[in-house]
Amino acid sequence: LRHPHIAGYLGHGLREDGLGWLAMERIEGQSLEALFQELESGKPSGRIACALAEGCRRPIHETDAWRRRCVRLLIGVADALEHAHERGVVHRDVKPQNLLVRPDLSAVVVDFGIARDAFRPVSLTRTGMRVGTPGYVAPEQLAGRLGEIGARTDLFALGLVLWRGLFGRDLFASEEELVRYAARSRALLPGAAQQLGPQLRGVLYRALEPQPRYRYASARALGEDLKSLLSDRPVTAQAPGALARFG
């Protein structure tokens, strides 16, 4: 995978003790998780965190400037995932810890260590093993439905990253919350989503559908909607009405 928003692969192998290793290019920057934590503290001090917070009043998550910056950051991630998906590679562990932010505020996807080649029956991890990080897994991963794990699995995770960036907290506080959410036929987000404009809310709803078939069809489609948000153009996704999905 060669892409400006993917850390370059250098090599892999097995150690004498049977453990595998994977070497990637060194990226100057910080993990998005570390930056989120610094920003959530209300006292950013590092160069990259300060650049992200520049011009944003406190609390940062309630400002339009931050929301637009967060969207812009994830456009590069969507482009990187589309590049991987086109080549049959599904990351399966998209999360803030696996996204590095350079000093120029561009994002890089790292750690394809549990990636799956969608064009081959053999995975880079043991077949049947539940993979992904709790808090950033899709319902189909949680349930171990291997046949449903694909590009849209990564898009659900990216939606969770976007939620974390916009609100300063994970969408699911526990695995039990995800289990309840996964049992729904369509997405129903917490009331906090009403703080967002209808277009951004629509993007979140589309990315975070519990059933893969209702999500964005591709990372490119999600990325295009993110770009539309920044240029104030209509997006393809639409949030449901206030009472549309209760029951």
Side-chain angles (χ1 to χ4, degrees):
L1 297 175
R2 296 188 179 277
H3 188 275
H5 295 286
I6 296 178
Y9 163 84
L10 299 178
H12 71 280
L14 287 175
R15 302 191 323 189
E16 291 183 358
D17 59 7
L19 290 177
W21 59 269
L22 179 69
M24 310 292 288
E25 71 170 305
R26 184 179 184 276
I27 302 294
E28 180 187 359
Q30 285 182 267
S31 76
L32 187 56
E33 175 62 32
L35 292 167
F36 277 164
Q37 291 185 21
E38 193 171 345
L39 293 168
E40 289 157 11
S41 74
K43 298 177 180 179
S45 58
R47 179 171 54 143
I48 298 176
C50 286
L52 285 171
E54 185 178 0
C56 300
R57 68 179 187 277
R58 296 180 183 175
I60 189 173
H61 298 95
E62 296 179 7
T63 66
D64 183 63
W66 164 250
R67 290 168 181 167
R68 294 178 69 86
R69 202 159 288 163
C70 190
V71 166
R72 182 177 291 108
L73 189 66
L74 296 187
I75 287 173
V77 178
D79 287 346
L81 291 176
E82 178 64 19
H83 178 82
H85 296 162
E86 285 181 335
R87 287 151 182 80
V89 178
V90 180
H91 191 287
R92 297 202 294 176
D93 199 20
V94 175
K95 58 184 179 181
Q97 295 94 323
N98 284 338
L99 304 176
L100 299 185
V101 181
R102 299 182 179 109
D104 65 0
L105 304 188
S106 62
V108 182
V109 182
V110 301
D111 196 0
F112 277 80
I114 67 167
R116 180 185 182 191
D117 187 336
F119 296 155
R120 299 180 182 177
V122 178
S123 169
L124 295 183
T125 51
R126 294 193 301 273
T127 301
M129 186 179 180
R130 196 177 88 190
V131 295
T133 299
Y136 292 92
V137 299
E140 61 271 21
Q141 285 177 293
L142 185 70
R145 298 194 301 267
L146 296 182
E148 296 182 26
I149 295 175
R152 297 185 191 202
T153 302
D154 284 347
L155 303 188
F156 187 91
L158 189 55
L160 292 174
V161 175
L162 179 58
W163 179 277
R164 168 74 181 282
L166 293 173
F167 294 101
R169 60 184 182 274
D170 290 337
L171 177 58
F172 305 115
S174 67
E175 187 171 299
E176 289 71 24
E177 288 188 9
L178 174 55
V179 169
R180 289 195 296 271
Y181 186 86
R184 297 192 60 86
S185 60
R186 300 300 300 268
L188 180 62
L189 298 177
Q194 297 300 317
Q195 301 171 20
L196 306 175
Q199 297 221 110
L200 180 51
R201 192 165 67 248
V203 169
L204 278 172
Y205 263 93
R206 176 74 64 82
L208 292 171
E209 286 285 0
Q211 308 303 319
R213 66 182 180 275
Y214 295 128
R215 295 176 204 153
Y216 282 98
S218 67
R220 175 179 285 111
L222 172 54
E224 288 301 317
D225 265 2
L226 293 176
K227 293 172 186 175
S228 293
L229 286 171
L230 292 185
S231 58
D232 297 317
R233 292 183 285 113
V235 300
T236 63
Q238 186 174 2
L243 301 178
R245 293 188 181 174
F246 282 96

